[in-house]
Amino acid sequence: MHIQNTEQTAPPPAAGPPLLRALRHRNYRLFFVGQLISLIGLWMQNVAQGWLVLRMTDSALLLGIVAASASLPVLLLSVPAGALADQIPRRTVLLAAHASGIVLALLLAGLTFTNTVEVWHIIVLAALSGATRAIEAPARQAFTIEMVGKEDLLNAIALNSTMFNTARTLGPAAAGLLVAAAGEGPAFLLNGLSYLAVIVALLMMRLPPFTAPALSRRRDQLREGLQYVWHEPTVRTLLLMAGGLCLFGYLYIPLLPVFARNVFHTDAEGLGWLAAANGGGALLAALFLAQFSTQIPRGRVLLLALLCFPPCLLVFALTPAFNVAQGALLLMGFTSVLAMALINTVIQTTVPNELRGRVMGIFVMLPLGVSPLGGLIGGILTEWSGSVQLITAVCGLLVWIIMATSARRARYLWRVQ
């Protein structure tokens, strides 16, 4: 089987703090800056879109439907997209995906500015955006090693998480202020323009020539990736735990607009600060991992994070106090991202190069595909019960049971370094 060439020209000697080690690679520096700008725009759109749907429909169910419409393409396409990322240059895949993102974001901005946007427009565009993310995410995850080589892979994965959660902190806060002042349209427009940053960064990279692997049937490629996951116990267990967290633990994210308005009685600006608190905790976790990823006992920290997340979710679900909710969201962001980043790290260092795209296709299916399904379930149950707090609390208990059971059965994870 062909293994894609990922050897890099030797970078300059490491300088500065261990936190920034991967940034000594020119390609990764370009990627980091461009992707950070693009992700800030994406998070601005996510918050503005949720507020727009709630303002237009007053329906938690439709919030869940919009989230689920973005997840279905991920569920259908992410694993085949991972196989694609093992067959053609990953930079080409990323360029095509980000160019599509520009078109979709500007279309939503145009509909909003002209006051012609309808809920079905948002659902269709969310589904198309989900298809774009399904194609882009496995290629982006597998592309990391091409930029930094094996030596700095762990640090780059942690910095990727830092980048994502910096955007997750800045984007919602900016969106809340912008939507409160000028409406949702400018947030969609800025997101469309932000894609240009990562496209320029990708075009400026210097990569070794791509050697096409031998052609094989797509069905065989997918089967090979799935068989590897099933027969590799560490990867299988980590993916199952991540799936439980994404399905039940993350349903609060698409329901944040309901919490903001109905529980905490605030507006779009308040929603932005709630989302920013969650992102701030996630950012702290990413920075912690980037600095100490080679020193901490990964398995033990991973399991502790998974066990600490559910009680924080319960506190958020049941408190009537805005400040307490912000604190709980911060801790939820910290523990969940610490867990997911460590799962990502252990998987990427376990999987062989020639299978990385396919396995990462399965991994990214969980936060991008399974997680919005939890939002749909939460929206349906909230609409039926009339209590977003009750539904979120029940899901918090379910996550607690899943993680406690998994930690007991997979005791060998406590020893993973």
Side-chain angles (χ1 to χ4, degrees), residues 90-101 132 135-136 199 202:
R90 289 158 186 163
R91 176 166 61 175
T92 301
V93 177
L94 294 173
L95 285 170
H98 287 295
S100 300
T132 298
I135 294 169
E136 180 265 351
I199 288 176
L202 288 167

Side-chain angles (χ1 to χ4, degrees), residues 9-312:
T9 303
L19 176 71
L20 306 177
R21 181 178 175 87
L23 290 175
R24 60 187 178 145
H25 300 269
R26 177 182 180 274
N27 287 345
Y28 187 75
R29 288 197 301 272
L30 289 168
F31 172 81
F32 187 92
V33 174
Q35 189 74 6
L36 175 60
I37 294 171
S38 178
L39 285 172
I40 290 174
L42 180 61
W43 274 101
M44 290 180 67
Q45 172 154 324
N46 286 344
V47 170
Q49 181 174 279
W51 190 258
L52 176 62
V53 171
L54 187 64
R55 181 173 62 82
M56 292 174 62
T57 67
D58 195 30
S59 171
L61 174 59
L62 281 170
L63 278 175
I65 290 174
V66 170
S69 68
S71 74
L72 182 59
V74 177
L75 290 172
L76 297 176
L77 298 176
S78 62
V79 177
L84 179 68
D86 285 334
Q87 293 290 314
I88 66 175
R90 289 158 186 163
R91 176 166 61 175
T92 301
V93 177
L94 294 173
L95 285 170
H98 287 295
S100 300
I102 292 177
V103 174
L104 296 174
L106 294 182
L107 182 55
L108 181 56
L111 290 169
T112 306
F113 278 125
T114 57
N115 293 319
T116 57
V117 65
E118 298 181 19
V119 175
W120 73 267
H121 293 145
I122 300 173
I123 293 173
V124 170
L125 291 173
L128 293 173
S129 296
T132 298
R133 285 195 297 274
I135 294 169
E136 180 265 351
R140 171 169 42 82
Q141 293 282 352
F143 189 52
T144 303
I145 196 171
E146 294 186 45
M147 293 184 285
V148 302
K150 291 184 178 180
E151 182 183 359
D152 293 330
L153 177 61
L154 296 185
N155 182 254
I157 291 171
L159 285 179
N160 287 348
S161 185
T162 302
M163 172 210 310
F164 178 84
N165 290 294
T166 298
R168 188 179 172 188
T169 304
L170 299 178
L177 295 172
L178 185 60
V179 170
E184 298 87 2
F188 303 146
L189 174 61
L190 288 176
N191 179 43
L193 296 177
S194 72
Y195 282 105
L196 294 173
V198 71
I199 288 176
V200 170
L202 288 167
L203 291 173
M204 291 177 65
M205 289 183 183
R206 301 167 188 160
L207 297 171
F210 176 78
T211 303
L215 294 177
S216 59
R217 290 190 304 170
R218 180 62 51 83
R219 187 177 0 178
D220 293 338
Q221 297 169 13
L222 298 181
R223 185 187 298 118
E224 186 179 17
L226 293 172
Q227 286 177 343
Y228 171 83
V229 168
W230 183 253
H231 291 104
E232 170 52 57
T234 299
V235 174
R236 182 181 68 242
T237 300
L238 291 173
L239 288 174
L240 289 173
M241 296 174 79
L245 180 64
C246 291
L247 180 60
F248 297 111
Y250 288 171
L251 95 165
Y252 73 92
I253 295 175
L255 295 177
L256 269 183
V258 182
F259 274 97
R261 196 189 62 178
N262 296 353
V263 178
F264 304 117
H265 308 293
T266 187
D267 56 9
E269 183 176 346
L271 169 62
W273 288 118
L274 288 173
N278 197 222
L283 175 59
L284 289 175
L287 290 171
F288 171 82
L289 182 61
Q291 181 69 26
F292 301 108
S293 60
T294 60
Q295 304 172 30
I296 60 173
R298 294 177 195 149
R300 188 173 303 173
V301 173
L302 164 62
L303 292 174
L304 288 174
L306 288 172
L307 291 172
C308 290
F309 174 84
C312 297

Side-chain angles (χ1 to χ4, degrees), residues 77 101 129 176 180 270 324 337 361 385 412:
L77 298 176
S129 296
V324 174
V337 168
S385 69
Y412 65 90

